[in-house]
Amino acid sequence: MTTLLVIAKEPLPGRVKTRLTPPFTPGEAAALAEASLADTLEAVVATPAARRVLVLDGAPGPWLPPGFDVVPQCAGGLDERLADAFARCEGPALLIGMDTPQVTPELLTVDFAGCDAWFGPAEDGGFWALGLAEPDPALLRGVPMSTPSTGAVQRARLVAAGLRVRDLPRLRDVDDARDAHAVAALAPHGRFAARLARYAAAYR
């Protein structure tokens, strides 16, 4: 069975979802980040897994459900932090972030039979998920992060290593307010959508 990894930041005002400000306040942006993280963790809990790990920058809060091992993120760039997350795993592992609250257990239930890697592209050019049958941190180190070509470079790195790659559906990350509304429409019954609706109503 697969280890499921979630890499996340503690949802504190001014530290998360800063591109949601404006129109939202730093406190509202942090609350939206918390709701997105909570929805993500709920999907992970509902997914069969050998182990569930939250790779966290910060401290856990009441939003963390039981059943997770919490480990700190290492220092360095995002590529180093992702590589370190995989270095903590033995056996197949799938890593996701906290920016896709529309994720479902069905999307996260991957089968490595017949493939070596799963890749989930994001609409902004990055990736929302990466699965490795044999976690190798070197596959991530040096990949330029947070650029429009990040996903293409990462996927090419997998292929160049001789891995058989399967693709997950393309998802939209929550980066700005437009993304937030589009993603909430895809998962209208989640915490993220409910919190967004409450804040959006205050600005009408």
Side-chain angles (χ1 to χ4, degrees), residues 119 125-127 144 147-156:
F119 184 77
F127 58 93
T147 77
S149 62
T150 292
V153 173
Q154 181 62 75
R155 195 183 189 288

Side-chain angles (χ1 to χ4, degrees), residues 149 174 198:
S149 62
V174 175
R198 184 161 67 248

Side-chain angles (χ1 to χ4, degrees), residues 113-132:
C115 75
D116 306 302
W118 285 91
F119 184 77
E123 288 191 6
D124 63 2
F127 58 93
W128 66 270
L130 178 62
L132 297 173

Side-chain angles (χ1 to χ4, degrees), residues 66-180:
F68 281 84
D69 296 330
V70 180
V71 299
Q73 291 184 26
C74 72
L78 181 56
D79 63 317
E80 289 289 344
R81 288 178 277 140
L82 296 178
D84 182 69
F86 277 108
R88 298 169 182 266
C89 298
E90 294 183 4
L94 178 73
L95 180 144
I96 64 170
M98 61 183 286
D99 299 334
T100 51
Q102 73 273 39
V103 74
T104 65
E106 290 74 23
L107 287 172
L108 300 179
T109 304
V110 296
D111 184 356
F112 285 96
C115 75
D116 306 302
W118 285 91
F119 184 77
E123 288 191 6
D124 63 2
F127 58 93
W128 66 270
L130 178 62
L132 297 173
E134 297 182 8
D136 180 359
L139 292 169
L140 293 105
R141 292 193 178 108
V143 173
M145 296 289 162
S146 302
T147 77
S149 62
T150 292
V153 173
Q154 181 62 75
R155 195 183 189 288
R157 176 79 70 89
L158 303 176
V159 173
L163 303 186
R164 298 165 296 172
V165 183
R166 288 182 180 168
D167 292 307
L168 290 160
R170 186 179 302 273
L171 295 187
R172 186 169 185 165
D173 288 332
V174 175
D175 290 324
D176 56 26
R178 182 178 296 182
D179 295 328

